Amino acid sequence: MILKSQRWNSLFLILPALIVFIVFFLGPMIYLTMLSFRPTVDSDGWTLNNYFHMFKDSFVLEVVLRTVKLSFVSAFLDIILAYPLALVILRSSPGWRAFYTMLILSPLLVSVVVRSFGWMILLAPGGFINNVLMHFGLISEPVKLLFNETSVVIGLTHIHLPHVIIALLTALYSMDPRLESASASLGARPWQTFWRVTFPLSMPGVLSGGLLAFSLSMSSFVLPNILGGPRYKVLAALAYEQTVGLFNWPFGATLSLLLLFISTGIVAFYQKMSKGQGKEAMV
């Protein structure tokens, strides 16, 4: 009797979270999946034409490959830029560490739209970057840095950099500092200590930061529209255009599910890599 009462109490405690999960996640996902198999939004029939159309349309495939490529590139650049910054914060005194952390997190207080327009000013033909390059004689005329893939990658890298730094700092803070001291006392040079001790132990942070930057870049919508221009399409923008602009809800749902499957596949790959890292650490 007591055990049965405890079960009812447990069910009562998780009931609000269960309702939220069903109403705001599971229900919309089921509706989205059903919609992707409909010929039209108000049709009762079922079809696979949306999926056939998605894989046969060269423009859609080009947009998918472009989205995956720029997400990988921006995530890779984020890791390259975030790692030395995270090491500087880690090695700093507590006062400077708090200052650097506040400095890195401060861009998150500004809207993505505002930061995107800021990059438009910097990357414009008469903007700050072109003026500096021309002042030092590196270029004779303004370089086209805006409304192309370069501007989108720069913007995505900048916007997601704080998230990657935080992920790396979490991994570096959890590392035992005595391991680096032990490596140095055994005669290892600084780069050997970094490559054989610090970097392997920080791999969970590298993977989680890279995964976070990749996932956020895959679903980015506002920034690619502003910095890429109206003709530069990514998968999220294409799904929005099909749903809101062309009222083709079934095909928009199909593109949204494709975006979800790609992100889920990357997360599954990350979990497999994380288990591998855990086994190596145990060895």
Side-chain angles (χ1 to χ4, degrees):
M1 188 65 182
I2 295 176
L3 184 61
K4 188 175 180 179
S5 176
Q6 289 178 343
R7 286 179 179 175
W8 278 109
N9 289 336
S10 301
L11 182 62
F12 179 76
L13 288 174
I14 67 170
L15 190 59
L18 192 61
I19 292 174
V20 170
F21 175 75
I22 292 174
V23 172
F24 292 103
F25 181 77
L26 189 60
M29 285 305 304
I30 293 174
Y31 178 72
L32 196 69
T33 305
M34 292 174 61
L35 194 59
S36 69
F37 290 101
R38 297 287 191 187
T40 59
V41 68
D42 53 355
S43 173
D44 294 331
W46 301 96
T47 181
L48 290 173
N49 285 340
N50 293 318
Y51 289 91
F52 290 145
H53 174 57
M54 181 175 67
F55 289 111
K56 285 182 179 178
D57 194 326
S58 60
F59 176 72
V60 175
L61 293 178
E62 181 184 345
V63 170
V64 172
L65 292 176
R66 178 190 300 152
T67 307
V68 173
K69 185 182 76 173
L70 71 90
S71 300
F72 267 118
V73 171
S74 62
F76 177 75
L77 291 176
D78 273 328
I79 293 172
I80 297 296
L81 295 173
Y83 209 105
L85 293 174
L87 283 178
V88 168
I89 296 174
L90 181 72
R91 313 289 190 210
S92 302
S93 63
W96 280 108
R97 191 179 301 169
F99 174 74
Y100 289 144
T101 304
M102 184 184 66
L103 199 64
I104 286 171
L105 294 180
S106 58
L108 297 178
L109 301 175
V110 183
S111 165
V112 173
V113 177
V114 176
R115 282 184 280 172
S116 300
F117 280 114
W119 275 112
M120 281 188 71
I121 297 172
L122 293 174
L123 298 173
F128 175 76
I129 295 177
N130 269 313
N131 286 335
V132 169
L133 294 176
M134 292 178 69
H135 176 76
F136 287 103
L138 298 176
I139 56 175
S140 57
E141 57 184 18
V143 180
K144 183 175 175 55
L145 297 173
L146 194 59
F147 300 139
N148 52 28
E149 195 166 274
T150 302
S151 58
V152 177
V153 169
I154 290 174
L156 289 175
T157 303
H158 165 252
I159 284 179
H160 300 146
L161 186 62
H163 302 96
V164 182
I165 292 175
I166 296 301
L168 281 169
L169 280 175
T170 304
L172 290 172
Y173 282 145
S174 62
M175 186 178 66
D176 189 347
R178 292 175 298 180
L179 294 174
E180 292 183 334
S181 302
S183 174
S185 65
L186 291 173
R189 296 179 178 179
W191 68 269
Q192 289 176 318
T193 300
F194 169 77
W195 189 246
R196 295 184 179 181
V197 178
T198 309
F199 186 70
L201 291 175
S202 66
M203 274 306 290
V206 173
L207 292 175
S208 61
L211 173 67
L212 189 60
F214 178 85
S215 302
L216 293 173
S217 299
M218 280 291 296
S219 58
S220 288
F221 169 73
V222 175
L223 186 141
N225 272 353
I226 295 175
L227 294 182
R231 294 184 179 179
Y232 188 86
K233 296 295 181 188
V234 292
L235 192 51
L238 189 61
Y240 174 83
E241 183 183 82
Q242 290 290 328
T243 305
V244 179
L246 303 177
F247 297 105
N248 191 354
W249 288 29
F251 193 57
T254 308
L255 294 174
S256 301
L257 285 176
L258 176 65
L259 184 62
L260 177 65
F261 288 147
I262 293 174
S263 300
T264 306
I266 296 297
V267 171
F269 176 73
Y270 162 73
Q271 290 181 336
K272 186 176 180 180
M273 291 287 292
S274 298
K275 289 180 181 178
Q277 289 297 320
K279 289 178 181 177
E280 288 179 7
M282 290 176 67
V283 171

